[in-house]
Each structure stands twice: as structure tokens, then as C-alpha cells.
Amino acid sequence: VGDVAVKGLKTVLIENIKSQAAGELSKTDWYITRKADAGTAVPSSITTHRAAVRTKAAEMETAITNASDTPALETLYTYTTNDAGVTSRPLGELPRLES
């Protein structure tokens, strides 16, 4: 019984998703701080975006967790282009705040 010497691939990928989500949420953290400090309302577009980031991150983490093996993980991250010219991957992307 002891510490794990090396993190597994799924753990690393999930930590990466969590980090990306935190980075996206940090862009709007000031709205939340302002609400706590001054009571100023947070625009609904911001709360909607923040909820969407959390929801998508959870979906991505679940997809990673549920991948049966390394090739299945690889498939999640493989970009393809459909007939309409849209490039995407099965894992998807975190929502980005429009400027």
C-alpha cells in the first residue's frame, strides 16, 4: 500500500479538462466577485455561459471515464470533417465566451 507513482491516462486527460474549464470560467469570475461584493447582478448571458462550461466539462469527463481502452480514448480526440466542411471531434469542445 502506498502512493501511486504515475497517474493514468484518464486521470491526466480529466485533469486537463478541469484545467481548461477553470481557465474559461476565470474569464468571468469578476462578475461573481462583483455580485458578492456589491450585489450587482450577473448578466444572464454570463450565468448561462458558465453553466454551459460546467455541463460540457462534466460530459467530457464522463466520456473519458467511459472509454473502454486507449483506442477509444484516441477516437474521442480525433478530429474529422463532415460533408458540410465542419471539423469536430467526438469529445467536443468547451464553450467559449464570445467577445
Side-chain angles (χ1 to χ4, degrees), residues 17 20 56 60 75-80 87-94:
I17 296 298
Q20 290 174 16
K56 185 59 182 176
M60 294 167 88
T75 298
L76 291 175
Y77 283 86
T78 302
Y79 286 91
T80 58
T87 301
S88 63
R89 63 184 182 174
L91 188 62
E93 305 291 341
L94 289 173

Side-chain angles (χ1 to χ4, degrees), residues 28-35 39-51 97:
T28 56
D29 281 350
W30 69 272
Y31 284 102
I32 308 308
T33 302
R34 182 181 71 173
K35 169 88 170 134
T40 305
V42 178
S44 63
S45 62
I46 298 301
T47 56
T48 299
H49 171 71
R50 290 174 66 88
L97 185 63

Side-chain angles (χ1 to χ4, degrees), residues 65-83:
T65 298
N66 291 342
S68 58
D69 54 20
T70 302
L73 282 171
E74 184 178 6
T75 298
L76 291 175
Y77 283 86
T78 302
Y79 286 91
T80 58
T81 303
N82 66 16
D83 293 339

Side-chain angles (χ1 to χ4, degrees), residues 16-30:
N16 188 23
I17 296 298
K18 288 182 183 299
S19 177
Q20 290 174 16
E24 185 62 25
L25 292 172
S26 73
K27 297 174 186 177
T28 56
D29 281 350
W30 69 272

